[in-house]
Amino acid sequence: MKSKTSAVKSLLTEEPGAGRNTRIQAQNRSKLVDAATVVFAQFGYSGATIEKIAREASMSKNNLLYYFKSKEELYLTVLQGIMVRWLAPLEDLQEDMDPVAEISAYIDAKFKFSRMQPLSSKVWANEIISGARIIRPLLETQLRDILERKTTVIKAWQDEGKIGEIHPQHFMFLIWAVSQTYADFSSQIDAVTGKGLKDKDFYADAVENAKRVLLYGVIPRS
Amino acid sequence: MKSKTSAVKSLLTEEPGAGRNTRIQAQNRSKLVDAATVVFAQFGYSGATIEKIAREASMSKNNLLYYFKSKEELYLTVLQGIMVRWLAPLEDLQEDMDPVAEISAYIDAKFKFSRMQPLSSKVWANEIISGARIIRPLLETQLRDILERKTTVIKAWQDEGKIGEIHPQHFMFLIWAVSQTYADFSSQIDAVTGKGLKDKDFYADAVENAKRVLLYGVIPRS
Amino acid sequence: MKSKTSAVKSLLTEEPGAGRNTRIQAQNRSKLVDAATVVFAQFGYSGATIEKIAREASMSKNNLLYYFKSKEELYLTVLQGIMVRWLAPLEDLQEDMDPVAEISAYIDAKFKFSRMQPLSSKVWANEIISGARIIRPLLETQLRDILERKTTVIKAWQDEGKIGEIHPQHFMFLIWAVSQTYADFSSQIDAVTGKGLKDKDFYADAVENAKRVLLYGVIPRS
Amino acid sequence: MKSKTSAVKSLLTEEPGAGRNTRIQAQNRSKLVDAATVVFAQFGYSGATIEKIAREASMSKNNLLYYFKSKEELYLTVLQGIMVRWLAPLEDLQEDMDPVAEISAYIDAKFKFSRMQPLSSKVWANEIISGARIIRPLLETQLRDILERKTTVIKAWQDEGKIGEIHPQHFMFLIWAVSQTYADFSSQIDAVTGKGLKDKDFYADAVENAKRVLLYGVIPRS
DNA sequence: CATGAATGAGAATTCATTCAT
DNA sequence: CATGAATGAATTCTCATTCAT
């Protein structure tokens, strides 16, 4: 967890490595990334052990280390993958359609991510809560840029009167918070309701409620 | 982190211990709890080491272990304290006043917690993301009960037509998510905006935006 | 073995540490340094294991690590001690007396070191053969300085006609080589002669021969 | 490094192996031996890794292991080669000519070895310093025999009055020590003088000085 | 000949924790 | 209360080596 700079570099630059392209390679690496996601989500970076991950992947510890030279490299790879999927929906947010449709779609996409990949969401959350030691550089550049572009979309809507006097940036934070909470804080929600996003009705309610509140608020309209 | 049962028990039952009276004792314990919060927030349970905590408290490792017999005991104590402060605002949510005032007050209270004790919020988040292994029993009982009581408050407002067709429970989740995100994900927000809740204007904007959106939505009325 | 700079620094600057002065501390540390010398001499830096050293010191591996945080730190400490004793005799070489007496004394001193502390000599030799990765900075400064001062002593003798047309610096290298060979290459000498410096007669012969050859050469004088 | 007996056997008995004929084979083997010499010289037996050696030879680890079944076998092969070249000059020392010429020639030959193959010299030195675990049997037989024969040469010269009252055996040790020090301790000499045997003048001075001192001593005649 | 996969035996640390003083 | 000693259990990572293709 030391060399931040190099860590980041390898995050951005997909290193081709010395012939890492066999089918079995790809298979095992992906199996390990999945297993790692499970373990990192549950135990955090420090709490996760190489052995737990290997066991989760039904692989030997040494074999894991054959594919990923270090715990950190594996962690990096996991984060890399998450980042891509985390950012993707945001890119799709366009000015084209009307705000309700667009924002709805974005909320849908974020919720879908939370529903389909709650563990990835947790790994991401963990990384950020812990200070984003690894991915901060990326947040400061890539995420910042995208966000800036997207807030102009919202401002444009505001100029057209299609959207109220909210803070575009803060509004984005709300969407993130709201959609991710169901993945990240699932154990709390589950403890309190006995349900989770796996439950179809619960999922539908959650999404609908989120959209309704964020779009129209709780206070009824005249 | 093994004996969950006993751990929980000690969370609920305030063990009187073998005479902890002295002022110095109380002082040192509180100093350690604070330090532990800092370290647990940054490194998670596993990543936190007794020595880091001791150093943070300008105390010796051995001395720390004099006050808290184990890392887990210290963690428990930290969580205990957080829980109380986490729940407090919720208790204050009453049907008495009108929803706008009440909800505003609750959002204010939650944001204040995030602003004043972001590290506690992070420890809490970490615990829950990691599966709430320690505090789940509490969530399933105490939090569940309170939440149930409070949702009836909201339902009452709905019956009176003061509030729209949102899901009371889900609405509460939104408030939690929204208010806590500024503490838990502060490093992301900071990386993207260069600001945080420590910034007065930023704080004001965040709170105002949260209230406005949650109460009235983004789509302008009529 | 990474941070050369810091390594060197700690070689030069005797770090006082956080209260390392108990009797038991000193005792154990010295016991470990001795044991480490034995093991490093025999196996080199890489071949030496913390466990071997601990066993040699009749101590547990973990206890060793209580006294020296890392293998490198222990190695450094060992080298530090050797250096002092390696340099000492050289400092004593003075212009005062006549060359025969002075040089004889120096040869005596160097042989004594080889006889009394052959293992230290080997550790030193090993470090240098391996590229002097750790102590090079010291050689480039301290040793260089001393050597320069001492060669002027020899040059002075040459000016007075007390010494022949030899290269002062190279002459020093010969003395070093000759005196150390009996320690460093003892296993070869032993394999060939069945004897070593531990053998009183052998020792006497070795020293006498060294002095005679270096002072008067093999070719008889007229 | 376990089975010393078998190791030695394979050192003495050139195992014909299962057909090593191809030119490529010979080439690769020699490339590996060279690379191994480099690595063993710098890191010692334990510090050297098969991978480092393979990389040094621009070959794959697996390929290396195709040519040499184990690290030890490779080490043995390296030592074997060195031994031959180490002993050769000694064999040439004959009573025929006069001592000055003969000894000069031997010193020249030894220096040449140090100059041309300093790394081999270091590997040899390392092996001996570490206790000559592998080549001791050879020292005890072959080297011992040769040395004995050569000391009689010197004694013969002494009987003829051509040489002074030095110890023949010890005298040989001096020659070895003196000539090898420039290879083995090159990093020390380099650190102190900024030069090495690669420097033509330095080399000439070193050889000349060694000859002069060993033959005629430092103390001027008459 | 050569390469990818897999494995087992260490080795150095790290860390919580206990014991003594 | 506080500090120095000591220990045992993990944990990450390295490396030689073997297997299969």
Side-chain angles (χ1 to χ4, degrees):
Chain A
M1 202 57 115
K2 278 161 201 166
S3 54
K4 292 166 201 173
T5 327
S6 75
V8 172
K9 191 166 287 177
S10 71
L11 248 178
L12 296 164
T13 324
E14 177 81 45
E15 48 183 327
R20 292 268 165 83
N21 16 28
T22 336
R23 201 166 309 156
I24 196 165
Q25 280 265 5
Q27 228 173 43
N28 278 339
R29 285 177 71 90
S30 128
K31 198 175 14 163
L32 284 168
V33 165
D34 289 349
T37 304
V38 174
V39 178
F40 282 133
Q42 194 176 158
F43 299 96
Y45 181 80
S46 308
T49 74
I50 282 187
E51 214 192 336
K52 271 180 196 152
I53 297 173
R55 206 181 310 136
E56 177 75 28
S58 309
M59 213 175 275
S60 83
K61 190 176 66 174
N62 283 328
N63 204 12
L64 180 158
L65 285 165
Y66 171 71
Y67 287 103
F68 295 92
K69 270 184 220 135
S70 69
K71 185 179 166 182
E72 192 181 352
E73 190 186 314
L74 179 48
Y75 181 61
L76 251 37
T77 309
V78 168
L79 273 186
Q80 240 176 346
I82 295 174
M83 200 183 41
V84 174
R85 286 167 287 151
W86 196 94
L87 287 176
L90 190 49
E91 290 285 16
D92 294 339
L93 189 72
Q94 306 287 349
E95 196 186 334
D96 311 344
M97 296 196 289
D98 89 306
V100 173
E102 281 291 343
I103 292 170
S104 288
Y106 185 48
I107 293 175
D108 277 331
K110 291 293 286 178
F111 263 91
K112 194 174 171 196
F113 178 76
S114 281
R115 175 183 165 83
M116 304 307 285
Q117 318 190 30
L119 297 176
S120 292
S121 188
K122 282 180 180 175
V123 173
W124 182 259
N126 232 318
E127 164 69 9
I128 288 171
I129 290 176
S130 304
R133 272 199 288 287
I134 302 286
I135 37 94
R136 157 160 295 140
L138 266 149
L139 303 179
E140 285 173 347
T141 53
Q142 250 186 292
L143 181 56
R144 184 174 205 146
D145 291 348
I146 303 188
L147 186 62
E148 206 159 324
R149 273 187 281 123
K150 296 311 171 182
T151 51
T152 51
V153 172
I154 295 178
K155 275 175 199 150
W157 284 328
Q158 282 185 323
D159 291 343
E160 300 173 43
K162 290 178 177 171
I163 263 197
E165 284 302 308
I166 49 89
H167 294 255
Q169 227 180 19
H170 285 292
F171 181 60
M172 292 302 301
F173 297 157
L174 296 201
I175 297 183
W176 295 348
V178 160
S179 56
Q180 287 168 212
T181 201
Y182 285 92
D184 303 342
F185 289 64
S186 64
S187 69
Q188 185 178 44
I189 289 172
D190 182 64
V192 157
T193 65
K195 294 174 188 171
L197 289 193
K198 288 292 167 200
D199 179 316
K200 277 200 171 178
D201 292 341
F202 188 85
Y203 177 68
D205 284 354
V207 177
E208 197 227 340
N209 181 72
K211 285 185 196 168
R212 177 166 302 193
V213 171
L214 292 178
L215 290 171
Y216 307 106
V218 271
I219 303 304
R221 323 207 130 201
S222 69
Chain B
M1 199 59 119
K2 280 159 199 168
S3 54
K4 293 166 202 174
T5 327
S6 74
V8 172
K9 190 166 289 176
S10 71
L11 244 181
L12 297 165
T13 324
E14 175 82 45
E15 50 183 327
R20 62 173 63 126
N21 314 318
T22 333
R23 209 163 304 160
I24 277 189
Q25 293 238 1
Q27 230 173 41
N28 277 342
R29 284 180 69 89
S30 131
K31 192 164 37 151
L32 283 168
V33 166
D34 288 349
T37 304
V38 174
V39 177
F40 282 132
Q42 193 176 160
F43 300 96
Y45 180 80
S46 309
T49 73
I50 285 189
E51 218 194 325
K52 270 182 197 151
I53 296 173
R55 208 180 311 138
E56 178 75 30
S58 309
M59 215 174 273
S60 82
K61 194 172 71 167
N62 281 327
N63 206 7
L64 180 157
L65 284 165
Y66 170 78
Y67 287 104
F68 295 92
K69 271 185 213 142
S70 71
K71 184 178 164 183
E72 194 179 352
E73 190 186 314
L74 177 50
Y75 181 62
L76 254 35
T77 309
V78 168
L79 273 187
Q80 253 176 338
I82 295 173
M83 203 181 38
V84 174
R85 285 166 289 151
W86 196 94
L87 287 175
L90 191 50
E91 292 283 18
D92 293 340
L93 189 70
Q94 306 286 351
E95 197 186 333
D96 312 347
M97 295 196 289
D98 91 307
V100 172
E102 280 292 342
I103 292 171
S104 288
Y106 185 48
I107 292 175
D108 277 331
K110 292 294 285 179
F111 262 92
K112 194 175 170 196
F113 178 77
S114 281
R115 176 183 164 83
M116 305 308 285
Q117 317 189 31
L119 296 177
S120 292
S121 187
K122 282 180 180 176
V123 172
W124 182 258
N126 235 320
E127 164 69 10
I128 288 171
I129 289 176
S130 303
R133 274 197 290 288
I134 302 289
I135 37 92
R136 157 160 294 139
L138 266 148
L139 302 179
E140 286 173 345
T141 54
Q142 248 186 293
L143 181 56
R144 184 174 205 143
D145 290 349
I146 303 188
L147 185 61
E148 209 160 322
R149 273 187 280 121
K150 296 310 171 183
T151 51
T152 49
V153 171
I154 295 177
K155 275 175 199 152
W157 284 330
Q158 283 184 322
D159 291 344
E160 301 172 41
K162 289 180 179 170
I163 261 195
E165 284 302 308
I166 49 88
H167 295 255
Q169 225 178 20
H170 285 293
F171 181 61
M172 293 302 301
F173 297 157
L174 296 202
I175 296 182
W176 294 349
V178 159
S179 55
Q180 286 168 213
T181 201
Y182 285 91
D184 302 343
F185 288 64
S186 63
S187 68
Q188 185 178 44
I189 287 171
D190 181 64
V192 156
T193 64
K195 295 173 187 172
L197 290 194
K198 290 290 167 200
D199 179 316
K200 277 200 171 178
D201 292 341
F202 188 85
Y203 178 67
D205 283 354
V207 178
E208 196 228 342
N209 182 74
K211 286 184 194 166
R212 178 166 300 192
V213 172
L214 292 178
L215 291 171
Y216 306 107
V218 270
I219 304 303
R221 325 209 127 201
S222 72
Chain C
M1 201 57 117
K2 279 163 201 166
S3 54
K4 292 165 201 173
T5 327
S6 74
V8 172
K9 191 167 287 177
S10 72
L11 248 178
L12 296 164
T13 324
E14 177 81 46
E15 49 183 327
R20 291 270 166 82
N21 16 27
T22 337
R23 201 166 311 158
I24 196 164
Q25 280 264 4
Q27 228 173 42
N28 278 340
R29 284 178 73 91
S30 128
K31 197 174 15 160
L32 285 168
V33 166
D34 289 348
T37 305
V38 173
V39 178
F40 282 133
Q42 193 175 158
F43 299 96
Y45 180 79
S46 309
T49 73
I50 282 188
E51 215 193 334
K52 272 181 196 153
I53 297 173
R55 207 182 309 136
E56 178 75 28
S58 309
M59 213 175 273
S60 83
K61 191 176 69 173
N62 284 327
N63 204 11
L64 181 157
L65 284 164
Y66 171 72
Y67 287 103
F68 294 91
K69 269 186 221 133
S70 71
K71 185 178 164 181
E72 192 181 352
E73 189 186 315
L74 179 48
Y75 181 61
L76 252 35
T77 308
V78 168
L79 272 186
Q80 243 177 344
I82 295 175
M83 202 183 39
V84 174
R85 286 166 288 149
W86 196 93
L87 287 176
L90 190 49
E91 291 284 16
D92 293 339
L93 189 70
Q94 305 288 351
E95 196 188 334
D96 312 346
M97 294 195 289
D98 89 307
V100 173
E102 281 291 343
I103 293 169
S104 288
Y106 184 48
I107 292 174
D108 277 333
K110 290 295 284 179
F111 263 91
K112 194 174 169 196
F113 178 76
S114 281
R115 176 184 164 84
M116 304 308 285
Q117 316 190 33
L119 296 176
S120 293
S121 188
K122 282 179 181 177
V123 172
W124 182 258
N126 234 319
E127 164 68 8
I128 289 172
I129 289 176
S130 304
R133 272 198 289 286
I134 303 286
I135 38 91
R136 157 160 295 140
L138 267 149
L139 302 179
E140 285 173 347
T141 53
Q142 250 187 293
L143 181 56
R144 185 175 205 145
D145 290 348
I146 303 189
L147 186 62
E148 207 162 323
R149 274 186 280 121
K150 295 312 171 182
T151 51
T152 50
V153 171
I154 295 179
K155 275 175 200 153
W157 284 328
Q158 283 185 323
D159 290 344
E160 300 173 42
K162 289 180 178 172
I163 262 195
E165 283 304 306
I166 50 87
H167 294 256
Q169 226 179 22
H170 284 293
F171 181 60
M172 294 301 303
F173 296 158
L174 297 200
I175 297 181
W176 295 350
V178 159
S179 55
Q180 286 168 215
T181 200
Y182 285 92
D184 302 343
F185 289 64
S186 63
S187 69
Q188 185 178 44
I189 288 173
D190 181 65
V192 157
T193 65
K195 295 172 188 171
L197 290 193
K198 289 290 167 202
D199 179 317
K200 276 201 170 178
D201 293 340
F202 189 86
Y203 178 66
D205 285 353
V207 178
E208 196 228 341
N209 181 73
K211 284 186 197 167
R212 178 164 301 192
V213 171
L214 292 178
L215 290 172
Y216 306 108
V218 271
I219 304 305
R221 324 212 125 199
S222 67
Chain D
M1 198 58 116
K2 279 159 199 166
S3 54
K4 292 167 201 172
T5 327
S6 74
V8 172
K9 191 166 287 176
S10 72
L11 244 180
L12 297 165
T13 325
E14 175 81 45
E15 51 182 325
R20 61 171 62 123
N21 316 316
T22 335
R23 209 164 304 160
I24 277 188
Q25 294 239 0
Q27 230 173 43
N28 278 341
R29 283 181 69 88
S30 130
K31 194 167 32 155
L32 283 168
V33 166
D34 288 350
T37 305
V38 174
V39 177
F40 282 133
Q42 194 176 158
F43 300 97
Y45 180 80
S46 309
T49 73
I50 286 189
E51 218 195 327
K52 271 182 197 152
I53 297 172
R55 208 181 308 137
E56 177 75 29
S58 308
M59 215 174 274
S60 83
K61 195 171 71 168
N62 281 325
N63 206 5
L64 181 157
L65 284 165
Y66 170 77
Y67 287 104
F68 296 92
K69 270 183 211 143
S70 71
K71 184 179 165 181
E72 192 181 353
E73 191 186 313
L74 178 49
Y75 181 62
L76 253 35
T77 308
V78 168
L79 273 186
Q80 250 176 340
I82 295 174
M83 201 182 40
V84 174
R85 284 165 289 150
W86 196 94
L87 287 176
L90 190 49
E91 291 283 16
D92 293 339
L93 189 72
Q94 306 288 350
E95 196 188 333
D96 312 344
M97 295 197 288
D98 90 306
V100 172
E102 281 292 343
I103 293 168
S104 288
Y106 184 48
I107 292 174
D108 276 332
K110 291 295 285 179
F111 263 91
K112 196 175 168 194
F113 178 76
S114 282
R115 176 183 165 83
M116 305 307 286
Q117 317 189 33
L119 297 177
S120 293
S121 187
K122 281 180 181 177
V123 172
W124 182 258
N126 234 319
E127 165 68 9
I128 289 172
I129 289 176
S130 304
R133 273 198 290 287
I134 303 286
I135 38 93
R136 158 161 294 140
L138 267 149
L139 303 179
E140 285 174 346
T141 54
Q142 249 185 292
L143 181 56
R144 184 173 205 147
D145 291 348
I146 303 187
L147 185 62
E148 206 160 324
R149 275 187 279 122
K150 297 310 172 182
T151 51
T152 51
V153 171
I154 295 177
K155 274 175 199 151
W157 283 329
Q158 282 185 323
D159 290 344
E160 298 173 44
K162 289 179 178 173
I163 262 195
E165 283 303 307
I166 49 88
H167 294 254
Q169 228 180 18
H170 284 293
F171 181 60
M172 294 301 302
F173 297 158
L174 297 201
I175 297 181
W176 295 349
V178 159
S179 55
Q180 286 169 212
T181 201
Y182 285 92
D184 302 342
F185 289 63
S186 63
S187 69
Q188 185 178 44
I189 288 173
D190 182 64
V192 156
T193 64
K195 294 174 189 172
L197 290 193
K198 290 290 168 202
D199 180 315
K200 276 200 171 178
D201 292 340
F202 188 84
Y203 177 67
D205 284 354
V207 178
E208 197 228 340
N209 182 74
K211 284 184 195 169
R212 179 167 297 193
V213 171
L214 292 178
L215 291 172
Y216 307 108
V218 272
I219 303 305
R221 321 209 130 200
S222 78

